[in-house]
Amino acid sequence: MNATLIAVALSLVSAGAYAAAAVAQSRLAGRTEPTTGTLRLLGRGAWWSAVGLNAGGALLHVAALNYGPLTLVQPLGALTLVAAVPLGARAAGRRVGRVEWRGTVLTLLGLGALLLTAGGSAPHETLTLPEALGVGAATMAVVAGLSRPGARPGLRHAAASGITSGAASALTQTLTVAVTDHSGGPLFSWRLLTVALFVSAFAMGGLLLSQTAYRGGLGAPLAVVTLANPVAAAAIGLALLGERLQGGPVSLVLALLGAAAAVRGVILLSRAQAHGSTDPGEEAVEPGPLTSAPSRVVIGSPRRAAAPEPVTVRAGARHHP
């Protein structure tokens, strides 16, 4: 099978796994009191199901990076939002809203345009030790600048999370290609050890930064995280790994139009997921405390029946039948 088709197929299944994990986490969050401790969550099967789905999605993503370039694999991560729309609507017992449909169509059209322009060959080049150190140092510098105290911390932390996760994916591709290379090179080296340490640190850092970004709301930070990730990874791939867009200037224009459509679609989907629904008459549901990277999607849970309000009788008031 063609390497491009394998990469796309693995990315699609990975996005589906991430979306299912997000729905499972949000459903669990809706049934869990905010004061519930982590140890109690460990005893719940739904929590372990979400963990398993997230782990499966991550492994599939790593496998896709071994068959496709960053400019192809990373943008497909936005399909997590697309897959979460029908899954979340079904779990919440509602229909997909009009804004969600528009966001889905725009995202799919944009990703389709990007797929036509992305290079289709399996990755062969890897980052050298100086390049890996440079990527790590540059990422930490950008994150330090974005994480400084100031205005709009949610969006800045979201951008830092997306950039960190994108750098982690680029470094992961170097790790997987080097490990699966059969040229007879050493399996363990200072370069691979350095890359593995950066991957671990950036993956955890991206998770913590995303949790910080969501404290003030989900919609805009979710869009920034989803978009900054593929931009950072594609920049590393184009600058250091020899990846190119196919078709010349015409392909570049098509890629820019596709990126603009995908950006608009992701923004619409993230806003819809932040409020649970966009149709009139449906309540907005606040995001639960268990959102996690890389899926970062919160789906509204079914509404609970409101408790009856207590009746207060003033002292001295007379009761009339």
Side-chain angles (χ1 to χ4, degrees), residues 88-111:
R90 180 179 179 84
R94 63 175 179 84
R95 290 183 294 181
V96 177
R98 292 186 296 273
V99 174
E100 292 173 315
W101 278 121
R102 289 203 298 271
T104 298
V105 171
L106 284 173
T107 302
L108 290 176
L109 289 176
L111 291 178

Side-chain angles (χ1 to χ4, degrees), residues 165-289:
S165 300
S169 292
L171 293 165
T172 298
Q173 186 180 71
T174 287
L175 196 62
T176 56
V177 171
V179 169
T180 57
D181 185 15
H182 300 289
S183 60
L187 184 59
F188 298 99
S189 64
W190 283 110
R191 179 179 68 118
L192 295 185
L193 178 60
T194 301
V195 170
L197 290 176
F198 274 137
V199 169
S200 301
F202 289 165
M204 181 58 66
L207 172 62
L208 297 177
L209 286 167
S210 66
Q211 293 294 325
T212 303
Y214 297 151
R215 289 176 182 174
L218 187 68
L222 177 60
V224 172
V225 169
T226 306
L227 297 173
N229 186 321
V231 169
I236 296 173
L238 293 171
L240 299 177
L241 295 174
E243 298 185 7
R244 295 290 182 268
L245 297 178
Q246 298 178 353
V250 176
S251 178
L252 179 60
V253 173
L254 181 60
L256 292 176
L257 292 175
V263 166
R264 179 59 180 168
V266 167
I267 291 174
L268 290 176
L269 287 173
S270 63
R271 288 176 179 173
Q273 298 304 317
H275 296 289
S277 174
T278 55
D279 286 343
E282 295 189 21
E283 294 182 5
V285 180
E286 293 296 326

